[in-house]
Amino acid sequence: MMTTETNSRPLISLRGLTKSYQTGELVTQVLHGVDLDIEAGEFVAIMGSSGSGKSTLMNILGCLDKPTTGDYWFRGHSVAKLNHDQLAALRRDAFGFVFQNYNLLAAADAVGNVELPAVYSGTPAHERHQRACELLQQLGLGDRLDHRPGQLSGGQQQRVSVARALMNGGDIILADEPTGALDSQSGKDVMEILAQLSAAGHTVILITHDPEVAEHADRLIEIKDGHVVSDTRKAVQTSKAAPKKTPPRGKASLLNDLGEAFTTAGRSLRSNIFRTMLTLLGIVIGVASVISMLAIGQGAQQEVVDRIGAMGSNLLTVFPGAPNQRGRWNVATLVPEDVDAIQEIPNVLTAVPELTGNQTLRRAGFDQEAQINATYSSFPLARQWQVSEGSFFTEEDEALFTTVAVIGKTVAQQMFPQTDPLGEFLLINNVLFRVIGVMEERGASPWGQDQDDVVFVPFSTGSLRLFGQRFVRNVTVAIDNTDFMHETHQQVHQLLLERHGVEDFTIRNMASIIEAQTETENTMTLLLGVIAVISLVVGGIGVMNIMLVSVTERTREIGVRMATGARRLHIMQQFLIEALTVSLLGGLLGVIIGVGATAIIASLGTSVHYALLPVVLAFSCAFLTGLIFGYLPARKASRLDPVQALSSE
């Protein structure tokens, strides 16, 4: 850090300084071999007409720009050896800028504008706020502390600019046409302030084209066409006070920087509230979509798996007909003897035939079609489907061809709406059956069929009196120990192959069906999630576009921040945190809306599955969206040239 100053060395020393600008193949030289020394405490006016190079010289003196060739020595140290961050530190600690157009931040009040240089020097918030108020009061703005630039006159804005220049001590005040945009009285007031600062020991370098303004200085340097043509000092100079000590500064830390960046981000976003809301919309929709779509997808998956599982995850189902054979439902290959043989296989809990078909039910004026299932008495054990009222038929009923029936809930409600069905009679295909039981309500199957619209009868009775055949539609095999499901599957397959001599049957493993269905639902859920993430990415692109527009609109603000000591990291943090703030706020609103929308959908009867992972995933995606899509605009902002940024409109 450049803090050492000796009497033998000038404060600022320029030797052979040149500055050229290249536009395509055209090279324009603005400064031509400038040699200049400025002592500490001097009040210097650099005067010249427009295009003479005086503003370029000021930018180099203030370390906003670098010379093309030549040497710049500050307190005996070469400025050419300093990198971007070191130049920013030098501007922050040694220089204070007073611009013609004030260059105040429109979204900040007077105190906030004055505090700006101290933000980058790590001064604690309460200390810089107190000092900013004191400076404004000293400059006659004690009643304008909370006023924004748009609420201040030109003279008042320039005083705020002067206070900002003094915030970190302002050893050297660089004033570029400070009266150019002011009326005569305000101009005089500003020049009196600069004269007072000079008398207080500050080094004041004034850039002007007005001889009357230049007369306030103790030393006049005239520049023309990039050359110093004269350098005169007044014969009598007022006595100067000793330079004031630089105000104490805090130690800059990442935590403080981030805190200030979030505060500034909030202020900036509030100043463009409508645009901020539009930017939030894309993130909100994306996050809400991820949460609700995944919840619906996982809910549908869970519902299907539960329904299949309710049918029995320990089941093997044997169908007639060879695998992949068309019309195999009408093939007559399975008989009750196959079922009896399967029951003898180890690890088979029970095996039941199922002979099904639709038949007409009649009772006292009621006429309805329902599915009839002729099966064994062990059906409830095989399908894990119990009787809620009465009882299921027995082996004795099967042996005696008894005409008894057990009905499902739907049949009970439709055929016996106001009567207890137990003991009542039904005509099934003109055969009279007595109802002895009602099954528990099962609901719809995974394929949408009403499982309760069914009547169970003994296999012997059904095959003889209702269907007129012994061949079964399918055989349901319940496995005792599912750990050996695969081995039992192979044993059933081998048994039937030996009995039939040909593979005229198909075996389905319910566990495999559940696994296949789960994989299908996972694929659908993933598809829904991808669609939602695409929506989130689109929202991220919107964030990037808005931030790029923001960088363009706030280019001058970036220049002001750089002039007051902001490093590239500060500028990058600023815009990156603005993007993150938008994304995180959008993520939070998206989570709230997504969970709320999911709850509404669930209340309408759709199955949903609440899980923390989709919420965390969606919010994390919002964070990454802000980080990824905010990086490019933030990097662009941090790479801006301070001089070009300050001169932008």
Side-chain angles (χ1 to χ4, degrees), residues 305 308-309 311-317 477 479 481-486 489 507-519:
V305 171
I308 296 177
M311 296 172 63
S313 59
N314 65 329
L315 299 181
L316 296 177
T317 306
V477 182
I479 306 301
N481 189 343
T482 56
D483 293 339
F484 302 99
M485 187 109 177
H486 179 72
H489 182 141
I507 303 177
R508 285 187 178 177
N509 187 328
M510 191 61 72
S512 299
I513 295 175
I514 293 175
E515 182 179 350
Q517 186 65 32
T518 300
E519 290 180 358

PDB file of all heavy atoms in Angstrom, residues 305 308-309 311-317 477 479 481-486 489 507-519:
ATOM      1  N   VAL A 305     -48.778 -48.758  -7.997  1.00  0.00           N
ATOM      2  CA  VAL A 305     -48.040 -49.815  -7.294  1.00  0.00           C
ATOM      3  C   VAL A 305     -48.852 -50.354  -6.128  1.00  0.00           C
ATOM      4  O   VAL A 305     -48.898 -51.573  -5.886  1.00  0.00           O
ATOM      5  CB  VAL A 305     -46.671 -49.285  -6.816  1.00  0.00           C
ATOM      6  CG1 VAL A 305     -45.996 -50.290  -5.898  1.00  0.00           C
ATOM      7  CG2 VAL A 305     -45.771 -48.987  -8.008  1.00  0.00           C
ATOM      8  N   ILE A 308     -51.643 -52.598  -7.521  1.00  0.00           N
ATOM      9  CA  ILE A 308     -51.126 -53.898  -7.948  1.00  0.00           C
ATOM     10  C   ILE A 308     -50.700 -54.704  -6.730  1.00  0.00           C
ATOM     11  O   ILE A 308     -50.957 -55.910  -6.634  1.00  0.00           O
ATOM     12  CB  ILE A 308     -49.945 -53.724  -8.919  1.00  0.00           C
ATOM     13  CG1 ILE A 308     -50.412 -53.032 -10.202  1.00  0.00           C
ATOM     14  CG2 ILE A 308     -49.309 -55.056  -9.260  1.00  0.00           C
ATOM     15  CD1 ILE A 308     -49.311 -52.744 -11.192  1.00  0.00           C
ATOM     16  N   GLY A 309     -50.043 -54.019  -5.784  1.00  0.00           N
ATOM     17  CA  GLY A 309     -49.611 -54.700  -4.567  1.00  0.00           C
ATOM     18  C   GLY A 309     -50.777 -55.229  -3.770  1.00  0.00           C
ATOM     19  O   GLY A 309     -50.690 -56.296  -3.141  1.00  0.00           O
ATOM     20  N   MET A 311     -53.412 -56.459  -4.935  1.00  0.00           N
ATOM     21  CA  MET A 311     -53.840 -57.703  -5.564  1.00  0.00           C
ATOM     22  C   MET A 311     -52.970 -58.873  -5.121  1.00  0.00           C
ATOM     23  O   MET A 311     -53.339 -60.033  -5.294  1.00  0.00           O
ATOM     24  CB  MET A 311     -53.763 -57.555  -7.088  1.00  0.00           C
ATOM     25  CG  MET A 311     -54.720 -56.509  -7.647  1.00  0.00           C
ATOM     26  SD  MET A 311     -54.437 -56.217  -9.402  1.00  0.00           S
ATOM     27  CE  MET A 311     -54.821 -57.827 -10.075  1.00  0.00           C
ATOM     28  N   GLY A 312     -51.812 -58.557  -4.549  1.00  0.00           N
ATOM     29  CA  GLY A 312     -50.909 -59.585  -4.065  1.00  0.00           C
ATOM     30  C   GLY A 312     -49.583 -59.545  -4.783  1.00  0.00           C
ATOM     31  O   GLY A 312     -49.490 -59.919  -5.946  1.00  0.00           O
ATOM     32  N   SER A 313     -48.581 -59.082  -4.098  1.00  0.00           N
ATOM     33  CA  SER A 313     -47.246 -59.029  -4.717  1.00  0.00           C
ATOM     34  C   SER A 313     -46.566 -60.389  -4.689  1.00  0.00           C
ATOM     35  O   SER A 313     -45.483 -60.556  -5.230  1.00  0.00           O
ATOM     36  CB  SER A 313     -46.381 -57.998  -3.979  1.00  0.00           C
ATOM     37  OG  SER A 313     -46.255 -58.341  -2.614  1.00  0.00           O
ATOM     38  N   ASN A 314     -47.227 -61.375  -4.045  1.00  0.00           N
ATOM     39  CA  ASN A 314     -46.648 -62.722  -3.953  1.00  0.00           C
ATOM     40  C   ASN A 314     -47.324 -63.689  -4.915  1.00  0.00           C
ATOM     41  O   ASN A 314     -47.330 -64.894  -4.700  1.00  0.00           O
ATOM     42  CB  ASN A 314     -46.767 -63.252  -2.525  1.00  0.00           C
ATOM     43  CG  ASN A 314     -48.224 -63.443  -2.117  1.00  0.00           C
ATOM     44  OD1 ASN A 314     -49.106 -62.711  -2.573  1.00  0.00           O
ATOM     45  ND2 ASN A 314     -48.481 -64.425  -1.266  1.00  0.00           N
ATOM     46  N   LEU A 315     -47.916 -63.144  -5.975  1.00  0.00           N
ATOM     47  CA  LEU A 315     -48.726 -63.971  -6.856  1.00  0.00           C
ATOM     48  C   LEU A 315     -48.032 -64.311  -8.167  1.00  0.00           C
ATOM     49  O   LEU A 315     -47.283 -63.497  -8.721  1.00  0.00           O
ATOM     50  CB  LEU A 315     -50.050 -63.269  -7.180  1.00  0.00           C
ATOM     51  CG  LEU A 315     -50.984 -62.948  -6.006  1.00  0.00           C
ATOM     52  CD1 LEU A 315     -52.244 -62.285  -6.520  1.00  0.00           C
ATOM     53  CD2 LEU A 315     -51.296 -64.193  -5.205  1.00  0.00           C
ATOM     54  N   LEU A 316     -48.318 -65.533  -8.625  1.00  0.00           N
ATOM     55  CA  LEU A 316     -48.050 -65.931 -10.004  1.00  0.00           C
ATOM     56  C   LEU A 316     -49.394 -66.143 -10.670  1.00  0.00           C
ATOM     57  O   LEU A 316     -50.312 -66.716 -10.059  1.00  0.00           O
ATOM     58  CB  LEU A 316     -47.245 -67.235 -10.063  1.00  0.00           C
ATOM     59  CG  LEU A 316     -45.822 -67.223  -9.485  1.00  0.00           C
ATOM     60  CD1 LEU A 316     -45.229 -68.633  -9.566  1.00  0.00           C
ATOM     61  CD2 LEU A 316     -44.946 -66.233 -10.213  1.00  0.00           C
ATOM     62  N   THR A 317     -49.551 -65.683 -11.872  1.00  0.00           N
ATOM     63  CA  THR A 317     -50.803 -65.880 -12.602  1.00  0.00           C
ATOM     64  C   THR A 317     -50.502 -66.672 -13.869  1.00  0.00           C
ATOM     65  O   THR A 317     -49.652 -66.258 -14.664  1.00  0.00           O
ATOM     66  CB  THR A 317     -51.457 -64.530 -12.957  1.00  0.00           C
ATOM     67  OG1 THR A 317     -51.606 -63.764 -11.769  1.00  0.00           O
ATOM     68  CG2 THR A 317     -52.817 -64.744 -13.591  1.00  0.00           C
ATOM     69  N   VAL A 477     -51.671 -68.307  -8.311  1.00  0.00           N
ATOM     70  CA  VAL A 477     -50.818 -69.080  -7.406  1.00  0.00           C
ATOM     71  C   VAL A 477     -50.231 -68.130  -6.370  1.00  0.00           C
ATOM     72  O   VAL A 477     -49.539 -67.163  -6.730  1.00  0.00           O
ATOM     73  CB  VAL A 477     -49.685 -69.786  -8.172  1.00  0.00           C
ATOM     74  CG1 VAL A 477     -48.849 -70.629  -7.212  1.00  0.00           C
ATOM     75  CG2 VAL A 477     -50.250 -70.644  -9.301  1.00  0.00           C
ATOM     76  N   ILE A 479     -47.614 -67.423  -3.399  1.00  0.00           N
ATOM     77  CA  ILE A 479     -46.315 -67.925  -2.945  1.00  0.00           C
ATOM     78  C   ILE A 479     -46.175 -67.666  -1.455  1.00  0.00           C
ATOM     79  O   ILE A 479     -46.499 -66.575  -0.966  1.00  0.00           O
ATOM     80  CB  ILE A 479     -45.173 -67.260  -3.723  1.00  0.00           C
ATOM     81  CG1 ILE A 479     -45.385 -67.437  -5.227  1.00  0.00           C
ATOM     82  CG2 ILE A 479     -43.830 -67.824  -3.298  1.00  0.00           C
ATOM     83  CD1 ILE A 479     -45.457 -68.866  -5.679  1.00  0.00           C
ATOM     84  N   ASN A 481     -43.161 -67.896   0.521  1.00  0.00           N
ATOM     85  CA  ASN A 481     -41.951 -67.117   0.800  1.00  0.00           C
ATOM     86  C   ASN A 481     -41.498 -66.448  -0.496  1.00  0.00           C
ATOM     87  O   ASN A 481     -41.013 -67.102  -1.415  1.00  0.00           O
ATOM     88  CB  ASN A 481     -40.853 -68.013   1.353  1.00  0.00           C
ATOM     89  CG  ASN A 481     -39.648 -67.231   1.859  1.00  0.00           C
ATOM     90  OD1 ASN A 481     -39.478 -66.060   1.527  1.00  0.00           O
ATOM     91  ND2 ASN A 481     -38.805 -67.865   2.664  1.00  0.00           N
ATOM     92  N   THR A 482     -41.637 -65.134  -0.559  1.00  0.00           N
ATOM     93  CA  THR A 482     -41.313 -64.413  -1.803  1.00  0.00           C
ATOM     94  C   THR A 482     -39.817 -64.382  -2.086  1.00  0.00           C
ATOM     95  O   THR A 482     -39.415 -64.021  -3.193  1.00  0.00           O
ATOM     96  CB  THR A 482     -41.847 -62.968  -1.738  1.00  0.00           C
ATOM     97  OG1 THR A 482     -41.327 -62.316  -0.579  1.00  0.00           O
ATOM     98  CG2 THR A 482     -43.365 -62.949  -1.695  1.00  0.00           C
ATOM     99  N   ASP A 483     -38.988 -64.741  -1.096  1.00  0.00           N
ATOM    100  CA  ASP A 483     -37.543 -64.791  -1.352  1.00  0.00           C
ATOM    101  C   ASP A 483     -37.206 -65.856  -2.397  1.00  0.00           C
ATOM    102  O   ASP A 483     -36.173 -65.768  -3.071  1.00  0.00           O
ATOM    103  CB  ASP A 483     -36.775 -65.082  -0.058  1.00  0.00           C
ATOM    104  CG  ASP A 483     -36.866 -63.942   0.940  1.00  0.00           C
ATOM    105  OD1 ASP A 483     -37.163 -62.809   0.504  1.00  0.00           O
ATOM    106  OD2 ASP A 483     -36.649 -64.177   2.148  1.00  0.00           O
ATOM    107  N   PHE A 484     -38.097 -66.849  -2.506  1.00  0.00           N
ATOM    108  CA  PHE A 484     -37.868 -67.937  -3.471  1.00  0.00           C
ATOM    109  C   PHE A 484     -38.889 -67.874  -4.606  1.00  0.00           C
ATOM    110  O   PHE A 484     -39.269 -68.903  -5.159  1.00  0.00           O
ATOM    111  CB  PHE A 484     -37.940 -69.290  -2.747  1.00  0.00           C
ATOM    112  CG  PHE A 484     -36.950 -69.424  -1.618  1.00  0.00           C
ATOM    113  CD1 PHE A 484     -37.339 -69.220  -0.295  1.00  0.00           C
ATOM    114  CD2 PHE A 484     -35.618 -69.721  -1.874  1.00  0.00           C
ATOM    115  CE1 PHE A 484     -36.433 -69.327   0.746  1.00  0.00           C
ATOM    116  CE2 PHE A 484     -34.711 -69.832  -0.839  1.00  0.00           C
ATOM    117  CZ  PHE A 484     -35.105 -69.631   0.472  1.00  0.00           C
ATOM    118  N   MET A 485     -39.307 -66.658  -4.894  1.00  0.00           N
ATOM    119  CA  MET A 485     -40.338 -66.470  -5.918  1.00  0.00           C
ATOM    120  C   MET A 485     -39.863 -66.992  -7.274  1.00  0.00           C
ATOM    121  O   MET A 485     -40.608 -67.682  -7.989  1.00  0.00           O
ATOM    122  CB  MET A 485     -40.688 -64.978  -6.019  1.00  0.00           C
ATOM    123  CG  MET A 485     -41.865 -64.674  -6.914  1.00  0.00           C
ATOM    124  SD  MET A 485     -43.261 -64.176  -5.902  1.00  0.00           S
ATOM    125  CE  MET A 485     -44.486 -63.771  -7.114  1.00  0.00           C
ATOM    126  N   HIS A 486     -38.653 -66.655  -7.624  1.00  0.00           N
ATOM    127  CA  HIS A 486     -38.133 -67.048  -8.936  1.00  0.00           C
ATOM    128  C   HIS A 486     -38.052 -68.579  -9.042  1.00  0.00           C
ATOM    129  O   HIS A 486     -38.428 -69.164 -10.078  1.00  0.00           O
ATOM    130  CB  HIS A 486     -36.764 -66.422  -9.160  1.00  0.00           C
ATOM    131  CG  HIS A 486     -36.138 -66.803 -10.475  1.00  0.00           C
ATOM    132  ND1 HIS A 486     -36.607 -66.318 -11.678  1.00  0.00           N
ATOM    133  CD2 HIS A 486     -35.105 -67.628 -10.769  1.00  0.00           C
ATOM    134  CE1 HIS A 486     -35.885 -66.822 -12.660  1.00  0.00           C
ATOM    135  NE2 HIS A 486     -34.958 -67.623 -12.146  1.00  0.00           N
ATOM    136  N   HIS A 489     -41.482 -69.995  -9.420  1.00  0.00           N
ATOM    137  CA  HIS A 489     -41.931 -69.702 -10.790  1.00  0.00           C
ATOM    138  C   HIS A 489     -41.410 -70.783 -11.749  1.00  0.00           C
ATOM    139  O   HIS A 489     -42.170 -71.336 -12.575  1.00  0.00           O
ATOM    140  CB  HIS A 489     -41.410 -68.319 -11.194  1.00  0.00           C
ATOM    141  CG  HIS A 489     -41.839 -67.871 -12.552  1.00  0.00           C
ATOM    142  ND1 HIS A 489     -42.190 -66.565 -12.826  1.00  0.00           N
ATOM    143  CD2 HIS A 489     -41.966 -68.528 -13.731  1.00  0.00           C
ATOM    144  CE1 HIS A 489     -42.525 -66.454 -14.096  1.00  0.00           C
ATOM    145  NE2 HIS A 489     -42.375 -67.638 -14.667  1.00  0.00           N
ATOM    146  N   ILE A 507     -46.982 -67.662 -17.850  1.00  0.00           N
ATOM    147  CA  ILE A 507     -46.938 -67.351 -16.419  1.00  0.00           C
ATOM    148  C   ILE A 507     -46.464 -65.915 -16.232  1.00  0.00           C
ATOM    149  O   ILE A 507     -45.417 -65.525 -16.785  1.00  0.00           O
ATOM    150  CB  ILE A 507     -45.996 -68.305 -15.663  1.00  0.00           C
ATOM    151  CG1 ILE A 507     -46.428 -69.765 -15.881  1.00  0.00           C
ATOM    152  CG2 ILE A 507     -45.985 -67.966 -14.177  1.00  0.00           C
ATOM    153  CD1 ILE A 507     -45.501 -70.764 -15.227  1.00  0.00           C
ATOM    154  N   ARG A 508     -47.221 -65.174 -15.456  1.00  0.00           N
ATOM    155  CA  ARG A 508     -46.828 -63.795 -15.131  1.00  0.00           C
ATOM    156  C   ARG A 508     -46.507 -63.691 -13.645  1.00  0.00           C
ATOM    157  O   ARG A 508     -47.275 -64.172 -12.809  1.00  0.00           O
ATOM    158  CB  ARG A 508     -47.935 -62.804 -15.490  1.00  0.00           C
ATOM    159  CG  ARG A 508     -48.062 -62.548 -16.972  1.00  0.00           C
ATOM    160  CD  ARG A 508     -49.051 -61.441 -17.231  1.00  0.00           C
ATOM    161  NE  ARG A 508     -49.160 -61.144 -18.639  1.00  0.00           N
ATOM    162  CZ  ARG A 508     -50.012 -60.249 -19.148  1.00  0.00           C
ATOM    163  NH1 ARG A 508     -50.831 -59.583 -18.333  1.00  0.00           N
ATOM    164  NH2 ARG A 508     -50.055 -60.039 -20.436  1.00  0.00           N
ATOM    165  N   ASN A 509     -45.411 -63.044 -13.380  1.00  0.00           N
ATOM    166  CA  ASN A 509     -44.954 -62.840 -12.012  1.00  0.00           C
ATOM    167  C   ASN A 509     -45.417 -61.456 -11.571  1.00  0.00           C
ATOM    168  O   ASN A 509     -45.034 -60.444 -12.167  1.00  0.00           O
ATOM    169  CB  ASN A 509     -43.434 -62.949 -11.974  1.00  0.00           C
ATOM    170  CG  ASN A 509     -42.870 -62.910 -10.563  1.00  0.00           C
ATOM    171  OD1 ASN A 509     -43.420 -62.254  -9.698  1.00  0.00           O
ATOM    172  ND2 ASN A 509     -41.770 -63.623 -10.363  1.00  0.00           N
ATOM    173  N   MET A 510     -46.241 -61.384 -10.541  1.00  0.00           N
ATOM    174  CA  MET A 510     -46.777 -60.094 -10.100  1.00  0.00           C
ATOM    175  C   MET A 510     -45.673 -59.151  -9.645  1.00  0.00           C
ATOM    176  O   MET A 510     -45.745 -57.935  -9.866  1.00  0.00           O
ATOM    177  CB  MET A 510     -47.780 -60.300  -8.965  1.00  0.00           C
ATOM    178  CG  MET A 510     -48.586 -59.051  -8.631  1.00  0.00           C
ATOM    179  SD  MET A 510     -49.580 -58.472 -10.026  1.00  0.00           S
ATOM    180  CE  MET A 510     -50.840 -59.745 -10.066  1.00  0.00           C
ATOM    181  N   ALA A 511     -44.622 -59.687  -9.032  1.00  0.00           N
ATOM    182  CA  ALA A 511     -43.499 -58.841  -8.620  1.00  0.00           C
ATOM    183  C   ALA A 511     -42.838 -58.206  -9.832  1.00  0.00           C
ATOM    184  O   ALA A 511     -42.436 -57.033  -9.811  1.00  0.00           O
ATOM    185  CB  ALA A 511     -42.487 -59.655  -7.831  1.00  0.00           C
ATOM    186  N   SER A 512     -42.743 -58.979 -10.933  1.00  0.00           N
ATOM    187  CA  SER A 512     -42.153 -58.441 -12.161  1.00  0.00           C
ATOM    188  C   SER A 512     -43.043 -57.369 -12.760  1.00  0.00           C
ATOM    189  O   SER A 512     -42.563 -56.376 -13.301  1.00  0.00           O
ATOM    190  CB  SER A 512     -41.931 -59.576 -13.173  1.00  0.00           C
ATOM    191  OG  SER A 512     -41.045 -60.538 -12.653  1.00  0.00           O
ATOM    192  N   ILE A 513     -44.380 -57.596 -12.641  1.00  0.00           N
ATOM    193  CA  ILE A 513     -45.316 -56.593 -13.148  1.00  0.00           C
ATOM    194  C   ILE A 513     -45.173 -55.289 -12.380  1.00  0.00           C
ATOM    195  O   ILE A 513     -45.150 -54.200 -12.948  1.00  0.00           O
ATOM    196  CB  ILE A 513     -46.763 -57.119 -13.063  1.00  0.00           C
ATOM    197  CG1 ILE A 513     -46.939 -58.315 -14.004  1.00  0.00           C
ATOM    198  CG2 ILE A 513     -47.758 -56.023 -13.392  1.00  0.00           C
ATOM    199  CD1 ILE A 513     -48.303 -58.969 -13.903  1.00  0.00           C
ATOM    200  N   ILE A 514     -45.067 -55.417 -11.047  1.00  0.00           N
ATOM    201  CA  ILE A 514     -44.886 -54.212 -10.220  1.00  0.00           C
ATOM    202  C   ILE A 514     -43.594 -53.508 -10.595  1.00  0.00           C
ATOM    203  O   ILE A 514     -43.550 -52.277 -10.727  1.00  0.00           O
ATOM    204  CB  ILE A 514     -44.892 -54.588  -8.719  1.00  0.00           C
ATOM    205  CG1 ILE A 514     -46.276 -55.093  -8.296  1.00  0.00           C
ATOM    206  CG2 ILE A 514     -44.470 -53.397  -7.862  1.00  0.00           C
ATOM    207  CD1 ILE A 514     -46.336 -55.584  -6.869  1.00  0.00           C
ATOM    208  N   GLU A 515     -42.526 -54.283 -10.791  1.00  0.00           N
ATOM    209  CA  GLU A 515     -41.239 -53.695 -11.141  1.00  0.00           C
ATOM    210  C   GLU A 515     -41.314 -52.993 -12.496  1.00  0.00           C
ATOM    211  O   GLU A 515     -40.818 -51.869 -12.656  1.00  0.00           O
ATOM    212  CB  GLU A 515     -40.177 -54.788 -11.172  1.00  0.00           C
ATOM    213  CG  GLU A 515     -38.775 -54.259 -11.479  1.00  0.00           C
ATOM    214  CD  GLU A 515     -37.741 -55.368 -11.474  1.00  0.00           C
ATOM    215  OE1 GLU A 515     -38.080 -56.502 -11.055  1.00  0.00           O
ATOM    216  OE2 GLU A 515     -36.598 -55.094 -11.885  1.00  0.00           O
ATOM    217  N   ALA A 516     -41.958 -53.665 -13.462  1.00  0.00           N
ATOM    218  CA  ALA A 516     -42.083 -53.065 -14.789  1.00  0.00           C
ATOM    219  C   ALA A 516     -42.946 -51.811 -14.742  1.00  0.00           C
ATOM    220  O   ALA A 516     -42.623 -50.790 -15.379  1.00  0.00           O
ATOM    221  CB  ALA A 516     -42.678 -54.079 -15.765  1.00  0.00           C
ATOM    222  N   GLN A 517     -44.048 -51.878 -13.975  1.00  0.00           N
ATOM    223  CA  GLN A 517     -44.921 -50.726 -13.857  1.00  0.00           C
ATOM    224  C   GLN A 517     -44.204 -49.574 -13.153  1.00  0.00           C
ATOM    225  O   GLN A 517     -44.348 -48.403 -13.535  1.00  0.00           O
ATOM    226  CB  GLN A 517     -46.188 -51.101 -13.082  1.00  0.00           C
ATOM    227  CG  GLN A 517     -47.243 -49.994 -13.033  1.00  0.00           C
ATOM    228  CD  GLN A 517     -47.808 -49.688 -14.402  1.00  0.00           C
ATOM    229  OE1 GLN A 517     -47.917 -50.568 -15.238  1.00  0.00           O
ATOM    230  NE2 GLN A 517     -48.152 -48.433 -14.634  1.00  0.00           N
ATOM    231  N   THR A 518     -43.407 -49.906 -12.137  1.00  0.00           N
ATOM    232  CA  THR A 518     -42.640 -48.874 -11.428  1.00  0.00           C
ATOM    233  C   THR A 518     -41.652 -48.206 -12.367  1.00  0.00           C
ATOM    234  O   THR A 518     -41.490 -46.971 -12.354  1.00  0.00           O
ATOM    235  CB  THR A 518     -41.903 -49.495 -10.228  1.00  0.00           C
ATOM    236  OG1 THR A 518     -42.853 -50.078  -9.340  1.00  0.00           O
ATOM    237  CG2 THR A 518     -41.096 -48.435  -9.492  1.00  0.00           C
ATOM    238  N   GLU A 519     -40.979 -49.002 -13.194  1.00  0.00           N
ATOM    239  CA  GLU A 519     -40.035 -48.434 -14.157  1.00  0.00           C
ATOM    240  C   GLU A 519     -40.741 -47.511 -15.149  1.00  0.00           C
ATOM    241  O   GLU A 519     -40.236 -46.437 -15.503  1.00  0.00           O
ATOM    242  CB  GLU A 519     -39.315 -49.557 -14.893  1.00  0.00           C
ATOM    243  CG  GLU A 519     -38.336 -50.337 -14.022  1.00  0.00           C
ATOM    244  CD  GLU A 519     -37.648 -51.451 -14.797  1.00  0.00           C
ATOM    245  OE1 GLU A 519     -37.973 -51.624 -15.994  1.00  0.00           O
ATOM    246  OE2 GLU A 519     -36.793 -52.138 -14.203  1.00  0.00           O
TER     247      GLU A 519
END
